[in-house]
Amino acid sequence: MADQHPIRVAAFYRFTPFPDPAAVRAPLLALCEDQGAKGTILLAPEGINGTIAGTPAAIDAVLAHIRALPGCADLEVKIATAPATPFHRMKVRLKREIVTMGAPGLDPTAVGDYVAPADWNALIDDPETLLIDTRNDYEVRVGTFAGAVDPATASFGDFPAWFRAHRDDLLAGKRRVAMFCTGGIRCEKATAFLKAEGVDQVFHLQGGILKYLEEVPAAESVWQGECFVFDERVAVGHGLAPGTHALCRACRMPASDADRASALYEEGVSCPRCHATRGDEDRERYAERHRQTRLAEARGETHVGRRADQRE
């Protein structure tokens, strides 16, 4: 019987010094293209961050190359499978940061303590633990851990100012801080920030929400809802099973079942969140893009309008 999920999706990151990220880029991009891998990899002086998809052999080849880079030998990778690639291009980009926080002088390797998914529930169940969701507001709406503080930030770069503005109230009566994000990269950098701000006991979920959903049985889980992901899957649930959310092609935000039942939702054109902010010309343009996407699909082709944002 043929493999129903022939594509492997690999998500990874590593904070490690790259004095010359540009020198790393060219051979890495060439290998990815030669292997037919698709996705996005970010390179910066502080390390590497990426999600790529391809055949098992292609992913193995790319990961072997990355693990040979300085400081990447023990690179941790989250693997999922898919019936088709959720990406349509291969991009290797040079950035100032692999996840943008905008905190000058921060050492992203001076992090808090990792907590394995199996130990996470006990940590956050303690009333003296402050639990913070370090993701963006639209991600939190899709799902989060029970009792987590939502900073309601539009981007991760807003996190430092939010924490400094609310620090005293947040830490009142708390002995420790636990933080989490989708794959671990943002909460790891957030722990480095809190430690730089003088907070001693700081913890973060190793492997992020995705690792928790993969390893912790649903019956024991305290996760509520689904987890937004930055590709065409849109959201996943326990066991990393496909979620119920779709992506609004107008505003690139996740649309729930309730959103799609709204009179303001039109596939490929608008959702309740963005309907009032788009004019008739916008909607006509989106409708034509959606029509072209459907025609391309009927021909067995990929239309650029299908791509998802890469915002983590």
Side-chain angles (χ1 to χ4, degrees), residues 219-235:
E220 300 173 14
S221 173
V222 292
W223 176 261
Q224 299 178 334
E226 297 173 353
C227 178
F228 179 79
V229 291
F230 294 85
D231 58 50
E232 291 291 338
R233 294 173 295 172
V234 185

Side-chain angles (χ1 to χ4, degrees), residues 15 42 46 49 95-103 136 155-160 185-186 189 311-312:
F15 286 111
L42 305 180
E46 68 180 13
N49 175 25
K95 307 284 283 187
R96 293 180 181 177
E97 303 175 72
I98 58 173
V99 57
T100 303
M101 175 177 265
N136 301 328
S155 71
F156 187 53
D158 298 330
F159 185 85
I185 186 171
R186 284 177 286 183
K189 195 164 187 178
R311 285 172 287 189
E312 183 171 16

Side-chain angles (χ1 to χ4, degrees), residues 8-281:
R8 184 175 295 174
V9 182
F12 53 86
Y13 74 90
R14 181 71 175 175
F15 286 111
T16 185
F18 282 158
D20 187 4
V24 176
R25 179 183 182 274
L28 179 56
L29 177 59
L31 175 63
C32 290
E33 291 179 338
D34 181 65
Q35 293 292 328
K38 296 180 180 179
T40 300
I41 298 175
L42 305 180
L43 296 169
E46 68 180 13
I48 186 169
N49 175 25
T51 302
I52 58 174
T55 64
I59 297 304
D60 287 345
V62 175
L63 293 179
H65 178 91
I66 293 173
R67 287 189 170 112
L69 297 173
C72 294
D74 56 351
L75 179 80
E76 292 190 11
V77 181
K78 288 179 285 296
I79 297 292
T81 59
T85 179
F87 307 111
H88 307 304
R89 299 177 178 82
M90 185 66 234
K91 295 174 285 188
V92 180
R93 293 177 169 172
L94 300 178
K95 307 284 283 187
R96 293 180 181 177
E97 303 175 72
I98 58 173
V99 57
T100 303
M101 175 177 265
L106 180 69
D107 179 1
T109 65
V111 299
D113 296 322
Y114 297 96
V115 179
D119 301 321
W120 185 248
N121 289 358
L123 173 67
I124 67 175
D125 189 53
D126 189 326
E128 293 186 324
T129 298
L130 169 65
L131 180 61
I132 301 177
D133 192 331
T134 65
R135 300 172 303 150
N136 301 328
D137 50 6
Y138 60 88
E139 298 172 80
V140 179
R141 285 194 293 266
V142 174
T144 190
F145 282 108
V149 174
D150 174 13
T153 49
S155 71
F156 187 53
D158 298 330
F159 185 85
W162 170 82
F163 179 78
R164 287 168 175 157
H166 301 281
R167 174 184 177 132
D168 291 344
D169 291 337
L170 288 168
L171 298 178
K174 303 296 183 181
R175 293 182 56 191
R176 67 190 69 84
V177 179
M179 293 183 285
F180 63 93
C181 64
T182 307
I185 186 171
R186 284 177 286 183
C187 56
E188 183 167 336
K189 195 164 187 178
T191 64
F193 172 74
L194 260 65
K195 289 181 73 68
E197 293 287 301
V199 181
D200 294 327
Q201 293 195 51
V202 188
F203 303 84
H204 53 117
L205 178 58
Q206 189 168 20
I209 301 161
L210 295 180
K211 197 68 173 176
Y212 181 93
L213 293 177
E214 179 183 5
E215 295 187 354
V216 176
E220 300 173 14
S221 173
V222 292
W223 176 261
Q224 299 178 334
E226 297 173 353
C227 178
F228 179 79
V229 291
F230 294 85
D231 58 50
E232 291 291 338
R233 294 173 295 172
V234 185
V236 297
H238 288 95
L240 303 184
T244 61
H245 286 73
L247 194 71
C248 173
R249 299 291 165 179
C251 64
R252 304 290 182 183
M253 292 290 110
S256 66
D257 285 341
D259 290 331
R260 300 198 299 278
S262 168
L264 299 180
Y265 180 81
E266 183 179 351
E267 186 178 2
V269 177
S270 68
C271 72
R273 190 166 292 112
C274 70
H275 187 274
T277 66
R278 303 297 197 270
D280 290 340
E281 289 186 4

